Amino acid sequence: MADSKLEKYRAKRDFQKTTEPTGDTAPTDSEWRRFVIQKHAARRLHYDLRLEVNGVFKSWAVTRGPSPNPQDKRLAVEVEDHPLDYGDFEGTIPHGEYGGGTVQLWDRGRWAPDQMTPEHGLATGELKFVLVGERLRGSWVLVRMKHDKTGGKRINWLLIKHHDEFALDHRAAEAIMAEDRSVASGRTMDAVAAGTGRAPEPFMRTNSRTIKADATWNTNKDVVPAKAKSKTTKTKRAPATAKRPTAIPQFIPPQLCKAVDRPPSGDGWGHEIKLDGYRQQLRVQNGIATLKSRKGLDWSRKFHGLIEEAANLPDSVIDGEVVALDAHGAPDFAALQAALSENNTDDVIFFAFDLLFDDTKDLRAEPLSARKAKLQSILANAGSLKTRYIEHLATGGDAILKSACKMALEGIVSKRLDAPYQSGRSDRWLKSKCRAGHEVVIGGWVTNNGKFRSLLAGVYRGNHLIYVGRVGTGYSQTVVERILPRLKKMASQKSPFAGLGAPKTGTDINWLKPELVAEIEFAGWTGDGNIRQASFKGFRDDKPAREVATERPVPVDSVPLARADAKIIRRKKAVSEPAAAKSPVIMGVRLSHPEKPFWPDAHDGAPITKRDLAEYFEAVGHWLLPHIKGRPCSIIRAPGGFAETQFFQRHALPNTSSLLNLVTVFGERKPYLEVDRIEGLPALAQMAALELHPWNCRPNQPDRPGRLVFDLDPGPNVPFAKVVGAAKEIRAVLAELDLISFCKTTGGKGLHVVTPLAEINNSALTWPQAKGFAQAVCRFMAQENPQAYLVNMSKKLRDGKIFLDYLRNDRMATAVAPLSPRARPGATVSMPLTWHDVTPKLDPQHYTIRTVPALLKKTKAWSDYFDSERPLEDAIKKLGKAGSGSKR
């Protein structure tokens, strides 16, 4: 096959005159797709991008080179396929020959398609992919142009860098493109042209140097293994007469997924596209293939085309999904339903994702990574068209889910790569959906003027079918004509639903026996437990009605294997990562430029780097997260370090890390940042976020006060002992009002006194009330001791006094988070304290990024914070009775 693709390549070259590879030398097999970029000084200087696809290099001549600046769109002219051994070519093509000029190996590494298959991207004219090379990294796209200046004689594409963590600005991109050293030999273009210097290190033709030690993967997206190229002879099937003892089970109960709210992001997970089809188990023995549903029903007759081809596979048991594809190559459940209804399943595909038996060998105890590698090899050797291998990505679950949703796919399934196959539902397989979906039992259908309008849906709770609402959309005329005969066959005289919310009998309702199972999409659940905006996808004949129960995603942090906890997440090197990887991975987040200094020192003479900041967040994250989770969080970023330019960021910017949530606040158009998972903290470090300033609202309730913060800000000539005395005085005032308070340093010269607020039933506490209360407390203290305190922030009045700042207690106001670093000299931290720590000897400069992780292990500060919430309404009443009032 590769030889036929190289006909144009060979026809254009005289190998008696040029030293370019002929394509006769087979490169070393690799489990990864490889790429090279060659700087080519031909008639015009350009760069040749070559991506390994199906045994050859798909090649493009890129004008001015592939710019890592997303603003640059580079013309990429598709040229003839090149042999894989061309990936080691560096030298000079004689002038007068095709492409005459000097060729330098400018970059090389691994690549992965950011879609189902590269063939699909090439065919549709939009190939999205990830490069991980020695110079270029991150996500890119090739977009084929509809017309070009030559009237279509050339195939012109545009090569564009996606906005991601590896995108560069104009100046940095120019610096990269100015690099003139070969990644294979270290030679300049002049040295290559002169034939001097050392020979290039092989890349395509040696096992020991397939990837150099410093050619690391620096992307949150792992690559997908290319099809294994095995030189072994295709497995021959034993003739039907040569019967062996039956060692392969007739059916193995499948492993099932647990629904979670988002993918796990720690190490050791492989993420696959969730296919929208029918789960099937393929069994092949002695040339006879069968397909069985997830309940063990034989569905072979439904998919006769698949069965005929699968009979040529070696004896095995393969787990997978039968899918129909739409015109864009995406799974289409409605198309599968139509194919089954019309008994025309010739075009359906069996996507295989697990291998349970290989010949008579039971593989279920082996890790998933080993099972998938064997499955990939089997299917590659067989050359099957209708049975296709499902690849996986080993990192970046959130990014993969985001990509799947953009492609209008159902979601992804995350699987432990080190786990055995375990029948039934477990924590080792987790599914995350792009949109809410559910299986429901159909208990009736509704008409309007004799025409079909909607289905009545329910789920089982115990022995009762509980009504959950109407499924009112998703019905074309064709769908209605297809489902009505099935509905009429299930007619019943009485309602199958139980419960108070069940619909009553009426002339427009046709009751059904509760036996039909349908799959729906919907916008979510109402407070009463009903489905909202439900749309019909199709009937499911592979699941008994009695097994349909309510399924709601659980927080992924509640799953032991996926819990985002620093004690569980370990910084292991990914399977695909070379041992000498340069970029560290902190809790699943890969850091670029980890040695970038953010502070010159922490009062110890040693710089605090980006890596130090990420490791600090890892160490304190389990303590810090509950105090910022569910609250919009502004950040102070300083990419050049705290002493350089700083900027305060409230809203999400383009290409914000998928580990950070984007939340829309009522009345605001732009989404705010929110840190709801521990992995988001090192993601902030990667963004050079040196300070965290959350709102003081209740979690997920921005319109409800969740805590009060009193900021004690000393003016000039105020000794710190007086700040300590002020904190204790506020504590005493709040205690008289039955509020419990806590203290922390600010990371500067002041202190914060914080009191957590409880929400009582039907609470209507507003931000103006909270702010008014805090103001009243501060005014009371200032009136009692005007020589020590003031509530006027004028700097002219602050000499020798402490400004009692109550302004942190407003809807959109923020305060620095406990344990947040400060963008100030010494890398200080806002440190939570016990009241025993709050003495005149307290030194806020003692608490730094370097010292706090160890100190945090020894303190019980704020250990009872969440048990100390008290309603502010009661305190407001007491304050009013005391005569202070709460009016401004």
Side-chain angles (χ1 to χ4, degrees):
M1 184 66 177
D3 284 345
S4 63
K5 294 179 180 179
L6 297 176
E7 288 179 0
K8 288 184 179 179
Y9 169 83
R10 289 169 175 150
K12 292 182 175 183
R13 290 162 176 80
D14 184 347
F15 295 107
Q16 300 298 317
K17 298 179 180 179
T18 179
T19 58
E20 294 171 276
T22 63
D24 295 329
T25 303
T28 302
D29 293 345
S30 172
E31 60 178 329
W32 311 107
R33 292 186 174 96
R34 294 160 287 192
F35 83 91
V36 297
I37 298 175
Q38 288 162 316
K39 192 174 181 179
H40 191 174
R43 184 166 56 89
R44 292 182 180 178
L45 180 66
H46 64 276
Y47 293 72
D48 294 313
L49 169 64
R50 312 195 193 281
L51 304 177
E52 181 180 358
V53 179
N54 293 333
V56 296
F57 274 131
K58 303 298 293 185
S59 298
W60 293 263
V62 183
T63 304
R64 293 188 292 160
S67 171
N69 181 0
Q71 302 301 320
D72 296 333
K73 296 179 175 63
R74 295 293 197 234
L75 175 65
V77 180
E78 186 176 352
V79 299
E80 73 278 7
D81 295 342
H82 282 52
L84 292 182
D85 51 348
Y86 207 95
D88 285 336
F89 176 68
E90 183 174 278
T92 299
I93 304 170
H95 289 286
E97 292 300 302
Y98 177 77
T102 302
V103 177
Q104 179 197 71
L105 287 164
W106 187 81
D107 198 11
R108 61 189 184 183
R110 303 166 179 166
W111 81 279
D114 194 11
Q115 52 200 17
M116 292 190 69
T117 64
E119 292 83 2
H120 174 65
L122 291 168
T124 59
E126 187 175 6
L127 176 62
K128 297 178 181 179
F129 57 94
V130 178
L131 292 181
V132 184
E134 299 188 44
R135 287 195 171 119
L136 299 184
R137 295 158 187 173
S139 180
W140 304 69
V141 63
L142 275 163
V143 181
R144 188 167 57 226
M145 300 172 66
K146 293 182 179 180
H147 305 286
D148 56 46
K149 295 179 181 179
T150 61
K153 294 179 181 178
R154 300 187 305 176
I155 303 177
N156 289 351
W157 301 65
L158 289 178
L159 177 63
I160 307 168
K161 179 75 182 69
H162 281 144
H163 289 276
D164 60 17
E165 60 184 298
F166 303 104
L168 302 177
D169 60 20
H170 177 70
R171 182 178 299 179
E174 282 191 341
I176 287 287
M177 299 312 298
E179 292 281 354
D180 187 33
R181 291 282 178 180
S182 165
V183 295
S185 66
R187 298 183 294 173
T188 64
M189 285 290 282
D190 289 341
V192 174
T196 59
R198 63 185 179 90
E201 290 188 54
F203 175 65
M204 306 294 296
R205 291 177 294 170
T206 172
N207 286 319
S208 62
R209 294 177 178 173
T210 299
I211 296 289
K212 289 164 53 178
D214 59 349
T216 58
W217 290 109
N218 281 327
T219 175
N220 286 335
K221 296 179 180 179
D222 205 349
V223 287
V224 185
K227 289 185 177 181
K229 301 178 182 68
S230 175
K231 297 180 181 178
T232 58
T233 306
K234 180 179 177 180
T235 305
K236 294 183 178 180
R237 186 175 77 248
T241 55
K243 295 287 184 181
R244 296 196 305 262
T246 300
I248 302 179
Q250 292 295 323
F251 177 72
I252 299 171
Q255 182 158 349
L256 303 175
C257 300
K258 176 179 285 187
V260 291
D261 58 350
R262 61 175 185 258
S265 58
D267 293 334
W269 292 92
H271 308 282
E272 301 171 352
I273 294 297
K274 189 178 188 305
L275 297 168
D276 202 0
Y278 280 117
R279 180 81 173 273
Q280 296 285 297
Q281 189 174 109
L282 174 63
R283 180 182 186 273
V284 184
Q285 187 172 35
N286 297 322
I288 300 175
T290 56
L291 277 170
K292 293 188 177 181
S293 72
R294 56 183 172 181
K295 298 304 294 183
L297 302 176
D298 194 331
W299 281 33
S300 303
R301 292 185 179 180
K302 297 177 185 286
F303 305 114
H304 47 82
L306 288 177
I307 290 298
E308 288 179 5
E309 188 188 81
N312 295 309
L313 293 173
D315 290 2
S316 54
V317 175
I318 300 174
D319 197 354
E321 190 107 353
V322 172
V323 172
L325 303 179
D326 63 16
H328 303 289
D332 187 339
F333 189 72
L336 180 59
Q337 288 275 296
L340 286 168
S341 176
E342 297 164 8
N343 195 27
N344 181 15
T345 59
D346 290 342
D347 294 330
V348 301
I349 304 296
F350 179 66
F351 284 99
F353 48 69
D354 212 331
L355 180 65
L356 312 188
F357 270 77
D358 180 14
D359 197 8
T360 58
K361 184 178 181 182
D362 188 347
L363 303 180
R364 286 174 289 177
E366 295 189 14
L368 173 62
S369 55
R371 301 196 307 270
K372 290 198 69 170
K374 291 181 181 180
L375 173 62
Q376 185 182 24
S377 178
I378 287 173
L379 296 181
N381 292 337
S384 178
L385 297 177
K386 293 181 178 293
T387 300
R388 301 179 187 176
Y389 174 73
I390 279 290
E391 297 172 327
H392 65 273
L393 297 176
T395 57
D398 285 285
I400 298 167
L401 178 61
K402 192 173 182 180
S403 296
C405 297
K406 286 181 178 179
M407 296 169 66
L409 299 175
E410 189 178 3
I412 66 173
V413 176
S414 306
K415 302 177 181 179
R416 288 293 306 183
L417 293 173
D418 57 358
Y421 191 90
Q422 179 181 347
S423 296
R425 207 172 301 278
S426 75
D427 293 342
R428 292 175 172 85
W429 285 17
L430 307 175
K431 60 182 176 183
S432 315
K433 292 187 176 183
C434 296
R435 49 196 181 272
H438 212 287
E439 291 156 352
V440 293
V441 178
I442 305 303
W445 54 289
V446 180
T447 60
N448 184 2
N449 294 326
K451 294 184 178 181
F452 174 88
R453 282 294 176 261
S454 61
L455 295 173
L456 303 178
V459 296
Y460 272 97
R461 294 176 190 163
N463 293 322
H464 301 291
L465 183 66
I466 304 300
Y467 177 71
V468 295
R470 295 193 180 195
V471 184
T473 61
Y475 311 106
S476 65
Q477 184 61 37
T478 302
V479 170
V480 172
E481 291 174 355
R482 189 169 69 238
I483 68 175
L484 269 179
R486 297 193 64 180
L487 295 176
K488 291 177 179 178
K489 285 183 180 179
M490 294 293 173
S492 174
Q493 297 300 313
K494 61 180 182 179
S495 170
F497 297 112
L500 297 176
K504 305 299 182 183
T505 299
T507 57
D508 60 341
I509 294 181
N510 303 272
W511 299 118
L512 301 176
K513 298 174 185 177
E515 297 177 13
L516 288 175
V517 176
E519 183 159 337
I520 64 169
E521 290 179 1
F522 62 106
W525 300 92
T526 68
D528 297 331
N530 285 355
I531 49 180
R532 293 190 297 109
Q533 302 173 25
S535 176
F536 178 76
K537 291 181 65 178
F539 288 126
R540 298 211 67 109
D541 297 320
D542 58 339
K543 186 168 186 177
R546 280 283 180 177
E547 293 187 7
V548 176
T550 303
E551 179 185 71
R552 300 198 186 191
V554 300
V556 71
D557 292 349
S558 68
V559 179
L561 285 172
R563 187 178 297 136
D565 190 310
K567 296 180 180 179
I568 293 177
I569 297 175
R570 297 289 181 256
R571 283 171 302 186
K572 306 176 197 172
K573 294 185 182 295
V575 174
S576 62
E577 198 171 287
K582 289 181 178 178
S583 296
V585 178
I586 310 295
M587 300 176 71
V589 177
R590 190 180 302 279
L591 302 180
S592 62
H593 308 294
E595 302 310 316
K596 173 71 177 178
F598 286 156
W599 290 268
D601 65 79
H603 303 308
D604 58 2
I608 298 288
T609 65
K610 179 188 287 188
R611 179 172 188 158
D612 293 330
L613 177 60
E615 290 180 340
Y616 169 79
F617 280 139
E618 180 185 31
V620 305
H622 64 285
W623 197 105
L624 165 60
L625 188 65
H627 294 274
I628 61 175
K629 186 175 182 179
R631 302 171 177 91
C633 186
S634 300
I635 56 177
I636 291 180
R637 296 176 64 185
F642 92 92
E644 301 296 329
T645 302
Q646 299 180 11
F647 61 96
F648 191 76
Q649 179 181 334
R650 293 184 178 89
H651 301 288
L653 297 177
N655 300 300
T656 297
S657 170
S658 58
L659 296 173
L660 301 173
N661 279 6
L662 307 184
V663 294
T664 301
V665 177
F666 179 75
E668 299 290 317
R669 289 186 298 174
K670 295 181 179 180
Y672 283 79
L673 286 175
E674 196 169 278
V675 187
D676 289 342
R677 56 195 309 180
I678 199 169
E679 300 93 334
L681 295 171
L684 289 176
Q686 169 62 18
M687 296 167 57
L690 307 193
E691 294 190 10
L692 283 61
H693 292 257
W695 288 18
N696 293 312
C697 59
R698 292 193 63 77
N700 305 307
Q701 299 181 59
D703 291 323
R704 290 288 180 265
R707 58 191 170 216
L708 297 180
V709 177
F710 298 87
D711 184 2
L712 310 183
D713 187 4
N717 303 313
V718 175
F720 190 70
K722 288 192 175 182
V723 182
V724 168
K728 290 184 175 181
E729 189 172 339
I730 286 186
R731 182 196 186 196
V733 172
L734 295 174
E736 289 182 9
L737 300 172
D738 292 334
L739 294 175
I740 302 175
S741 57
F742 298 82
C743 190
K744 67 183 180 72
T745 66
T746 63
K749 57 184 179 180
L751 291 173
H752 281 172
V753 176
V754 182
T755 182
L757 303 179
E759 185 175 45
I760 58 178
N761 292 335
N762 301 317
S763 171
L765 180 67
T766 65
W767 280 108
Q769 288 176 306
K771 183 179 178 181
F773 174 84
Q775 182 186 30
V777 169
C778 293
R779 280 185 171 174
F780 169 77
M781 291 181 59
Q783 290 168 359
E784 290 290 308
N785 192 351
Q787 300 304 315
Y789 309 127
L790 77 163
V791 293
N792 189 324
M793 62 189 305
S794 172
K795 292 185 178 181
K796 295 180 181 180
L797 305 175
R798 294 178 62 180
D799 187 34
K801 297 183 180 180
I802 298 172
F803 171 46
L804 303 178
D805 185 357
Y806 61 86
L807 300 174
R808 307 283 179 184
N809 304 294
D810 216 338
R811 178 174 179 265
M812 299 178 68
T814 65
V816 67
L819 294 179
S820 169
R822 300 307 304 266
R824 299 180 180 183
T828 53
V829 166
S830 178
M831 181 66 181
L833 306 167
T834 67
W835 282 107
H836 292 295
D837 297 325
V838 185
T839 71
K841 295 181 179 180
L842 175 65
D843 181 6
Q845 299 298 309
H846 178 59
Y847 303 107
T848 70
I849 287 178
R850 199 90 73 195
T851 62
V852 163
L855 293 173
L856 197 62
K857 295 177 181 178
K858 301 176 183 178
T859 182
K860 293 183 178 180
W862 293 39
S863 59
D864 56 345
Y865 179 91
F866 295 103
D867 296 326
S868 301
E869 294 180 342
R870 297 292 185 269
L872 188 60
E873 290 89 340
D874 295 344
I876 291 175
K877 292 176 182 178
K878 287 190 176 184
L879 187 62
K881 290 179 180 179
S884 297
S886 59
K887 295 182 179 180
R888 299 179 64 178

